[in-house]
Each structure stands twice: as C-alpha cells, then as structure tokens.
Amino acid sequence: MSMEKTFDPAAAEARISAAWEKAGAFRAGAHAKPGAEAFCIMIPPPNVTGALHVGHAFNIVLQDILVRWHRMRGFDTLWQPGQDHAGIATQLVVERKLAEEGNARRQEMGREAFLRKVWEWKAESGGTIVNQLKRLGASCDWERNAFTMSGAPGAPAGEARKFHAAVIRVFVDMYRKGLIYRGKRLVNWDPHFETAISDLEVENIEVAGHMWHFRYPLAGGATYRHVEKDGEGRVVVDEVRDYISIATTRPETMLGDGAVAVHPSDARYAPIVGMLCEIPVGPKEHRRLIPIITDEYPDPAFGSGAVKITGAHDFNDHAVARRNGIPCYRLMDTKGALRADGLPYAEAAARAREIAAGAVAGEAEVDALNLVPEAYRGLDRFEARRRVVADIEAEGLMSGVEAKPIMQPFGDRSKVVIEPMLTDQWFVDTAQIVGPALEAVRKGDTVILPESGEKTYFHWLENIEPWCISRQLWWGHQIPVWYGLEITDSGLQTKSGEKVFVSTVTGDPLDRGNRTNPDFWFCAATDGEAVNLAREKIASVFGVSPNTVDVFPFDIAAAERVRREDSRNCLDPRTGQVVSITDDPELFKEAFRLTFMTACRKNGRIQYAIHRDPDVLDTWFSSGLWPIGTLGWPEKTPEFQKYFPTSVLVTGQDILFFWVARMMMMQLAVVGEVPFRTVYLHGLVRDEKGEKMSKTKGNVIDPLEVIAEFGTDALRFSLAQLAVLGGMPKLSTERIRGNRNFGTKLWNACRFAEMNGVFAEDRGDGVPGARATVNRWIIGEVGRLREEVDAALGAFRFNEAAQALYAFVWGVVCDWYVEFAKPLLTGAD
RNA sequence: GGGUGGUUAGCUCAGUUGGUAGAGCGUCUCGCUUACAUCGAGAAUGUCGGGGGUUCGAGUCCCUCACCACCCACCA
C-alpha cells in the first residue's frame, strides 16, 4: 500500500488505537523490563459533568508524554484513570437536566430516586469522558478505570470498585483520632444550593455597593457630649448626641445585631460604653436594646468608629461576639430569605431583651429565636435590605448613604451571594494534619514545579483554616455518623419497677441543630456497626446488658415527611421539647410515631432510635484520597505496594489548594507517606490573546473539533509546545494548523523512505550499522536528539522537548538528511 | 492590604550555571525541481519596559520605578 501525499489522521488514529488496545499496550507494567523501577501517574479525575475541554487535553497530553516516555524505556508504568463524582457540580447538572425534561424536582422525587437518576447520568457522562480521553490518545490502563463514588450504596452494577469504602474508612479513622469534628460554626452558605461550602469555593468579587449610615438611639433618651478632634488635636465636632452612629453595607442584618462595638481607646465613645442603644427598625414598641461594648476589632479611623455586631451573619462580628459573649441571632433560612419560623416577633424580641439584660440562654435557644419582625418575614434578603433602609430613612434615622465598591463573596458554582451562616457542620481539623504536609515539601520529599508553586503552597498551608467538609447535598458520600438523643438514667421507676428514661436534650429530635452531645454520636463504617456502638452506649448508660437493647436506625427524611404530613404534633409547639417517655406502650407508640423519639422501654427491653446524618462529604474529601483509593487501599494490594507513593502529579495550578495540598495532608495523615514525588503544575489554557476561554466569549477551542480538523497529533504537539514551566499556555488554531503541517512534513519524509523501499525489508531492532557518512552522521544526530529530549523531559520542559524534535525533524532530517540520501538511494547501492 | 509571575521581532512566545538575541505565525521576493505548495529558496524587522548598580562582559545577577496578569485577604 503506497502512502498518500497527506496524512489522514482519522483513519490512522482509529487503526492504531485499536491495535494498542488489542495488544494491552497500556496495562500496568506493560513493556516493563524485569525488576524495573515503578512509574505511576494518577489522572486528575475529570468531573462527570460533561464534555472535556482543551484544558483537560493539555493536562492529559503532558501526562501521556511522561507515561509513554517511561513505558518506552522499560519502567513498570501505571497511568491510573478515573472520574470524580463532583458533588455540587453534578447534582446541578442532573437537576437542570431533569427540569429541562419536565421531570419532578429533586425534592418531590426523593433522595433514592434522584440518586438513581444521577447514576444514570454518570454512566453516560463517564463513558463519554473515557471515549474522549481515548481520542486524545491517553495511554491509561483503562481496565482500572476508577470512580470516586464506586461501591457506594445504590451504585449500579459495574461500579463495584471500593472507593467509597476507603473514603468512609478514612472518615471513621480520622473521627476517632479527633481529626474530624462537628460543631456550630459560621460557614459560607450557598443560598442557591442550600448547602455549606468551603472557603475555597467562595470567590470574592468587587461589586458596586453602598454604605449606609444609621443612628442607633441611646436607650431611654440618654444623651452624651460627642467630641471629635482632628490630627492636630483641634476640636472639629462638639455636640450633644442622643444616638450612636454606625455604618453598614448590609442593613438587613441589623435585625440580628447583638451589640455595637467601639475601640477601647476611642475617647469619643467612652462616655457611653456600657450603655444600651436601640436597633432602629421593627415595631417601635418591641425594639431591641443592645449594649455598647469595647473590642479591639473596630478601627477608630474608619467610618464613625462604631461597628454593629451581627454575630450570626458576619465573620468578623462573629469573632467579636464570641469574645464578648454576645448572642448570635440567625436571621435567614437556608434559601437566604428572612426567617418565617418560630415565635411571633413580639415574644422573640421580649426574650432577646431578657437575654440582653443578662438572662442565660443556650446556643440552641438563641438559634431558635427569630428576631425578624413580621413585616420582613419571608422576604428575600435583598428585598429585606430595601425595606429596612426605606423604613429607617422614613423615620429620619438614616444620616447618609454613599456608593462604594465592596468585596462580595459569591459561590463559585452558583454565582449567588454567599451568606455567612451559623450552622452545624463537619470539619477537618487541618491544623493537626498540616505539619507533615509542610514538612514533606520543605524537605523535598515532594517537589512542586514550578518553584513558585511551593511558595504558594507554603503560604496557604501556613495559614490553614479548618476545612468544612459537610455538604447539604444528596450526591456524595453520606457522612457515616448516626445520631441519637442524649439519654440519662433518671433513677425513677414505674409502678412495675422499670426505670424511666429521660432525654436531657431540649428541642426537636428531628432538628439538625439538636445533636449536641458527641457521646450519643455513633461513627461507624456501616449501620450495623453504628447500631452496635449505640447498643453498647445505651446499655452502659443504664447499666444493663447490651443484649437487652434494641437500636433502630431510622431515616430522618422519612421522619420529617411523616411529621409534615401529620396534622397532630405531640411536641410542645413552644419549645419543641419532649421530656421523658415511660414504658407506657400507648405513649411510646404515639411519641415514637410522631416524633421518632429516641428511647423507650418495651417488654423489658430498651429501645433506642438513631438516624444517620443526611449530609454528604465535600467532593474534595474523597478526591483527596484519590492516590490510595484507586490503588485499593486499605487492602495491601500489589498495586498499592508497587506504585505508591506515585511518581508525578500533573495538574492545574488552580487546584493546588483544592486538591494537591489536601491530598498531601490526607495521605500523610492516613498512610504516613507523601502521595507523589513531584507535582507539575500547569496554567489554564487560554486563547491566543491570553483570555480565558468561555462559551459567552465564543473563543472556546473544542479539542474534539480540532482533532476532527487537524488530527490528534497536531493538537498534542501544540499543547506540548505550550507547556513552558510556569508559563501561561495560549492556544490558537493557527498554531495547531502549523503543527498539522509539521505532521505532514514528517509523514512525507516517511513516504519518501517508503517510496525508496526502506520499509520493504526488515532490518531488525537496534542501531543499524551504517557505512555511508551521511548515515553515520544522522545516527549521531539522533543520539544527540535523544539526549536532548530526555534532558528536557527529565526537567519537565515539554516545550523544549517539542522544540528539539521539531527542529530535528524539519531542520535536520527533512532539510538535509533526505536530500543527502537521494544520491545514495538513486545510486547503484 | 499581602503574595506570585510577567514586560524580548508586527503577533504569540522561548532563551536553565552571565559571553554582544531565537522559534512559530505574519510580511516581502522568487520557485508547482521526481517526499512534501499542509512545500522549497531567500529577505526584512528588536536601544531584550524605564533608571541605577555588580562585572572584562547582563535579556540573563542586585536595587528601584512604571505598567499588566493572576492568587490570597474580615475593614464595618
């Protein structure tokens, strides 16, 4: 078969790809020399949210070059492929798809049915991704394809790998070691997805905002002399005021103010520190009074120097509130609307006044108080802001408003304004596990390239914050913790002589905020184990044998549904509290049915109900275990032993914190080893002008379209050329076209050889013994080239390797060697 | 407010121990010569952001200024 003048990528790629697959050329250890050193790369698992873009292509090509380079030289090579379940992103995609297809919404569908839909989506999307990776020529060991949710309950056939088990195992271990904790903290709340997110998932963007200045009247009509001085000590203001002036960019949060703070050194306010002032909003007869306190936080030079403290909706304020024992009143619901639940405003405000006056209130009670006046209840936060401003202005207590650019937090996926929200969440206590991760890079156990990446890594880890890992989503690894209500032995007995149990927990057993005592949390890999833990715990509380305790895990979502749909409610509507349950079977039946109350004694046995935390883990918690999870840990698989720690991680610098740093911490915490020896960070692929590619700009280069037009090699070579260490890859179609031409050039050199019968005879392996000077010369040149390419790749300078090959093929082989060879081939040899 | 990187030919960018600048694309001229017009032959274009310093010698090291980009950050 003689060769065409131009290379036909489509035909060749399909043929070669099939041959590779048939030969098992990419299997772990393929082409390894006996006793060879291992070389392993874990693919950064693409999300199962859709098609691959050119950024993936870039990432894949670099890995493929490293992998093939090692495999070719006889290393025992594994390139581990797989996909990430990508909690929020995938849930979003599937919800959108369901909506487009006119299906029931997730909430109507129920968790189980929805998850089945997600798995269907995953099967489709995962398959697409694998096929696209294959089109890019990725030489992964496809038989080992992994998925971060494989093996999870509800996973369909074909998802039997055990990644889920590894994730759960790590959670349980870390919990038991005290590396994971749960608590009520101010977290970044996404009102669109109605879940907490981590700090990293928040994008701070400057937007046009306003700063309003309001007057908080002093309580009881009190007045004071307000004196302001300029830099030289000259008095510029000296007047009698009956208010304190504060500034805010978020007037709607005033409703939850717990204090006004000034700096302790601020002489202007010294006369009124300790006094009360009034929040100038809401029905006049029930306005709340809050104290004027001192704290280091306010900057006397900024604004009026006085700051309103809203502990439940601002991170700074929260810290101030904590330090000073100021209550944190939550104003919003999960959708970011002002709360409509709880007691009427008048009663809530009355209680808040008592608290302000010194009444003791627990965290749960404070959280349950809804201090939103009826007029604002249920309003969206932005609408509430408008109303609050209008109302204060109408009352004449607004002293000004200025336009001001402000930094506002947005959800990276939802693009809605993030709300600091006081909620119960799970956290990794990163401070405890960060040390080894820092140390490993400092010592060089892991090297990050380019070097600037190490600086960024250090900077972030040295200032690490706790990592919020719980998400109020359905698609993900469900947190392996079961809760029961706190129960104590009251010592009381019924007439028949059996003990009465007392639940010491106040509030609603179905309330997520009500799982306060960790002694009654049961963290275990399976519900069976959780039941056993609970059984032993309850038995020990009452001093009985575990054999006499029955533990019932129940589904809290079902319980909530039962409650919603039942018009009767045996809980005290005021407090939501159930105090004690005796062994009265009728009472038990009623209570259990309506509230899923947690314990009773029945037929001489203790019965105790537990329910699993409905939340799931942050996607990055599971992908943080990618290196060990894909290799079969916790089992000591041969692959784990051979390929871990892995050799190189090739990934985008944008996920240095999200993923790389966390993998370092997690692997070191779990198996005490670094996950990889070298991290190669690359930039985001941009268009030829250096702008981010986006659908709206229309400058997206679709790798599949490029492949269709120019062939995979043209794309791959272009991407390799762009891989400058620390550089910003800018891709243009022109470049790809140029490299398609390069491919043609190479093709034609081969065609020339073929036309001259070079391939007709089998010359065997190894370096041919050349006699002609030209041939000896070119063999030497090839050797030089190889050294050059090896050196470049060894230093992760893909662009230099590409450049060397380009210059050699075009400038040496084609320009000179082919020409020199012509007389040789046409001559009488 | 911190941090990181960048500023080299018209464009996009390389330039790893300091030794008077390179590639691709584009431009201009010529050429369909038996591997290749997705090609060949030839040509033009740079005070390497400004300033200062170290050195025999600096795009390459140091200082400083300007501008750009990105990341991180709680100023109400």
Side-chain angles (χ1 to χ4, degrees):
Chain A
M1 182 182 81
S2 71
M3 293 166 74
E4 298 297 318
K5 268 192 177 185
T6 53
F7 176 56
D8 177 6
E13 285 166 19
R15 174 169 44 83
I16 293 168
S17 188
W20 280 336
E21 195 142 340
K22 193 177 165 204
F26 305 151
R27 277 199 205 113
H31 199 254
K33 287 179 187 156
E37 195 182 322
F39 181 82
C40 176
I41 293 185
M42 296 281 159
I43 201 170
N47 293 349
V48 285
T49 45
L52 295 184
H53 52 72
V54 72
H56 291 116
F58 186 48
N59 176 257
I60 292 302
V61 164
L62 302 187
Q63 292 172 71
D64 196 49
I65 289 169
L66 292 176
V67 163
R68 286 178 191 257
W69 178 49
H70 280 87
R71 192 188 286 125
M72 204 184 289
R73 293 180 301 159
F75 283 71
D76 184 341
T77 306
L78 166 63
W79 187 10
Q80 171 66 50
Q83 293 80 40
D84 193 304
H85 70 280
I88 291 186
T90 307
Q91 184 161 320
L92 168 70
V93 166
V94 174
E95 284 190 85
R96 243 189 229 153
K97 187 162 170 278
L98 289 176
E100 277 165 19
E101 293 168 358
N103 284 288
R105 296 185 53 226
R106 163 170 72 90
Q107 290 80 358
E108 296 150 15
M109 196 176 258
R111 188 164 182 152
E112 228 173 283
F114 177 73
L115 290 179
R116 270 197 301 276
K117 289 283 181 193
V118 183
W119 277 111
E120 282 171 24
W121 163 265
K122 185 271 161 183
E124 193 185 317
S125 173
T128 306
I129 289 167
V130 168
N131 286 332
Q132 291 179 340
L133 290 177
K134 285 182 180 175
R135 288 226 56 191
L136 284 167
S139 64
C140 301
D141 184 350
W142 296 110
E143 289 163 26
R144 296 184 53 84
N145 191 45
F147 183 52
T148 55
M149 278 281 282
S150 66
E159 294 288 356
R161 285 173 176 279
K162 294 175 184 163
F163 204 91
H164 174 73
V167 173
I168 295 302
R169 161 79 180 263
V170 167
F171 185 99
V172 173
D173 284 356
M174 289 180 75
Y175 176 82
R176 289 181 183 162
K177 285 182 193 161
L179 302 176
I180 287 179
Y181 62 89
R182 179 172 185 274
K184 191 181 277 301
R185 296 286 171 343
L186 204 54
V187 296
N188 300 296
W189 185 268
D190 187 317
H192 176 74
F193 290 120
E194 298 179 65
T195 177
I197 57 178
S198 71
D199 301 344
L200 286 177
E201 288 157 279
V202 176
E203 292 172 345
N204 292 300
I205 300 172
E206 189 174 278
V207 298
H210 297 277
M211 188 144 89
W212 287 271
H213 298 264
F214 297 128
R215 292 173 178 173
Y216 282 32
L218 296 176
T223 61
Y224 77 107
R225 195 169 149 206
H226 185 84
V227 180
E228 303 241 357
K229 294 177 181 168
D230 65 11
E232 272 98 58
R234 282 187 299 255
V235 173
V236 289
V237 177
D238 186 351
E239 62 186 22
V240 173
R241 286 185 177 176
D242 61 354
Y243 63 87
I244 182 167
S245 182
I246 61 96
T248 181
T249 54
R250 304 200 48 200
E252 72 281 9
T253 64
M254 287 171 57
L255 302 165
D257 285 355
V260 170
V262 298
H263 196 271
S265 70
D266 197 332
R268 294 169 297 177
Y269 299 109
I272 54 171
V273 166
M275 291 174 72
L276 298 174
C277 61
E278 184 182 282
I279 301 173
V281 66
K284 280 214 157 147
E285 61 280 16
H286 296 117
R287 287 213 176 145
R288 288 170 46 222
L289 297 174
I290 52 175
I292 298 166
I293 63 167
T294 58
D295 191 272
E296 297 292 327
Y297 165 60
D299 174 2
F302 187 87
S304 70
V307 184
K308 68 189 212 54
I309 301 300
T310 318
H313 289 283
D314 182 281
F315 287 96
N316 290 317
D317 292 7
H318 188 71
V320 176
R322 275 275 158 98
R323 281 199 289 273
N324 295 280
I326 303 296
C328 299
Y329 296 115
R330 188 169 53 85
L331 298 171
M332 293 178 203
D333 64 17
T334 56
K335 290 187 167 70
L338 296 210
R339 288 170 63 178
D341 64 327
L343 297 171
Y345 173 71
E347 288 176 49
R351 180 60 185 148
R353 272 203 298 272
E354 290 171 23
I355 294 169
V360 178
E363 213 176 52
E365 191 198 345
V366 168
D367 190 69
L369 275 185
N370 179 357
L371 290 175
V372 179
E374 270 76 14
Y376 305 126
R377 290 195 177 189
L379 291 180
D380 176 76
R381 51 195 165 146
F382 300 111
E383 176 59 19
R385 176 180 302 174
R386 279 189 284 277
R387 300 268 191 98
V388 165
V389 169
D391 290 350
I392 298 176
E393 192 174 12
E395 212 174 302
L397 290 173
M398 186 169 102
S399 52
V401 55
E402 50 189 308
K404 185 178 183 251
I406 53 171
M407 292 298 278
Q408 205 160 34
F410 289 87
D412 64 350
R413 297 275 173 196
S414 68
K415 307 297 179 195
V416 301
V417 176
I418 293 304
E419 194 64 45
M421 198 85 91
L422 252 189
T423 55
D424 283 284
Q425 302 290 345
W426 286 96
F427 296 86
V428 170
D429 192 0
T430 43
Q432 285 193 62
I433 58 172
V434 72
L438 279 165
E439 192 58 21
V441 176
R442 287 207 186 103
K443 279 196 310 198
D445 290 348
T446 295
V447 173
I448 301 177
L449 298 173
E451 210 183 321
S452 64
E454 292 194 352
K455 292 182 187 172
T456 315
Y457 176 88
F458 289 140
H459 186 258
W460 191 68
L461 286 185
E462 281 163 0
N463 299 286
I464 190 86
E465 294 285 326
W467 173 17
C468 177
I469 52 168
S470 44
R471 297 288 180 276
Q472 288 65 51
L473 303 171
W474 287 353
W475 176 237
H477 298 280
Q478 193 172 351
I479 289 170
V481 176
W482 284 255
Y483 304 103
L485 281 195
E486 182 179 354
I487 298 294
T488 52
D489 180 355
S490 68
L492 300 175
Q493 294 189 338
T494 62
K495 277 176 270 176
S496 56
E498 286 179 328
K499 284 180 176 174
V500 171
F501 311 142
V502 175
S503 157
T504 60
V505 171
T506 56
D508 184 335
L510 297 193
D511 182 354
R512 289 174 176 207
N514 212 352
R515 306 153 182 163
T516 50
N517 189 342
D519 290 344
F520 295 86
W521 300 351
F522 308 101
C523 177
T526 64
D527 58 353
E529 283 176 46
V531 162
N532 285 337
L533 289 175
R535 180 179 289 137
E536 275 161 34
K537 174 65 189 172
I538 297 308
S540 80
V541 166
F542 296 103
V544 298
S545 159
N547 297 333
T548 65
V549 178
D550 300 319
V551 172
F552 302 102
F554 73 93
D555 176 358
I556 193 165
E560 283 164 349
R561 204 158 49 238
V562 167
R563 167 169 309 167
R564 258 202 318 277
E565 289 160 6
D566 198 315
S567 57
R568 289 182 302 160
N569 193 334
C570 74
L571 297 176
D572 179 348
R574 220 187 134 81
T575 61
Q577 187 174 0
V578 174
V579 182
S580 69
I581 301 298
T582 68
D583 58 344
D584 179 335
E586 283 309 305
L587 186 50
F588 160 70
K589 203 172 138 198
E590 188 71 354
F592 195 82
R593 186 173 70 82
L594 292 175
T595 69
F596 288 76
M597 189 44 209
T598 53
C600 71
R601 193 182 275 276
K602 193 177 178 187
N603 302 331
R605 300 181 65 80
I606 295 175
Q607 310 208 315
Y608 185 73
I610 57 175
H611 66 272
R612 186 171 184 173
D613 194 318
D615 293 349
V616 302
L617 289 167
D618 180 9
T619 287
W620 297 103
F621 185 89
S622 48
S623 49
L625 300 166
W626 189 242
I628 56 173
T630 50
L631 291 174
W633 182 90
E635 285 168 40
K636 286 200 178 98
T637 63
E639 288 83 6
F640 181 74
Q641 287 171 324
K642 191 192 290 176
Y643 297 114
F644 190 87
T646 67
S647 313
V648 183
L649 177 74
V650 178
T651 194
Q653 62 199 178
D654 54 324
I655 53 174
L656 176 62
F657 305 146
F658 274 110
W659 196 45
V660 181
R662 284 164 176 174
M663 276 196 283
M664 289 291 289
M665 289 192 284
M666 300 276 275
Q667 255 66 206
L668 282 161
V670 174
V671 295
E673 253 295 5
V674 295
F676 21 70
R677 296 295 176 199
T678 304
V679 178
Y680 175 91
L681 298 173
H682 61 251
L684 195 74
V685 179
R686 296 160 182 265
D687 74 2
E688 67 269 27
K689 291 176 204 146
E691 289 185 41
K692 284 187 182 179
M693 293 189 189
S694 75
K695 281 177 195 162
T696 46
K697 280 189 213 154
N699 60 350
V700 174
I701 295 181
D702 178 350
L704 294 176
E705 285 176 17
V706 166
I707 287 172
E709 186 172 1
F710 299 114
T712 300
D713 288 317
L715 174 64
R716 289 171 56 111
F717 200 80
S718 301
L719 293 170
Q721 286 178 324
L722 296 176
V724 178
L725 208 44
M728 177 195 281
K730 296 182 188 174
L731 184 64
S732 66
T733 313
E734 279 316 299
R735 179 183 286 277
I736 301 167
R737 187 194 311 282
N739 285 320
R740 185 270 317 265
N741 296 353
F742 173 58
T744 308
K745 188 75 179 171
L746 178 58
W747 173 261
N748 276 292
C750 295
R751 181 162 169 267
F752 168 79
E754 190 252 12
M755 285 167 71
N756 287 286
V758 172
F759 302 134
E761 42 188 306
D762 182 6
R763 282 155 205 257
D765 294 332
V767 180
R771 278 162 306 168
T773 311
V774 202
N775 288 336
R776 290 165 63 170
W777 166 73
I778 197 67
I779 287 168
E781 288 299 302
V782 170
R784 281 233 308 257
L785 173 73
R786 183 189 164 160
E787 280 177 13
E788 199 178 344
V789 169
D790 279 351
L793 292 181
F796 296 91
R797 296 178 183 275
F798 298 95
N799 59 314
E800 290 183 7
Q803 167 62 23
L805 288 165
Y806 190 98
F808 176 77
V809 168
W810 205 308
V812 177
V813 174
C814 294
D815 286 353
W816 296 106
Y817 179 64
V818 170
E819 297 305 322
F820 288 150
K822 281 176 185 172
L824 232 57
L825 291 163
T826 53
D829 181 48

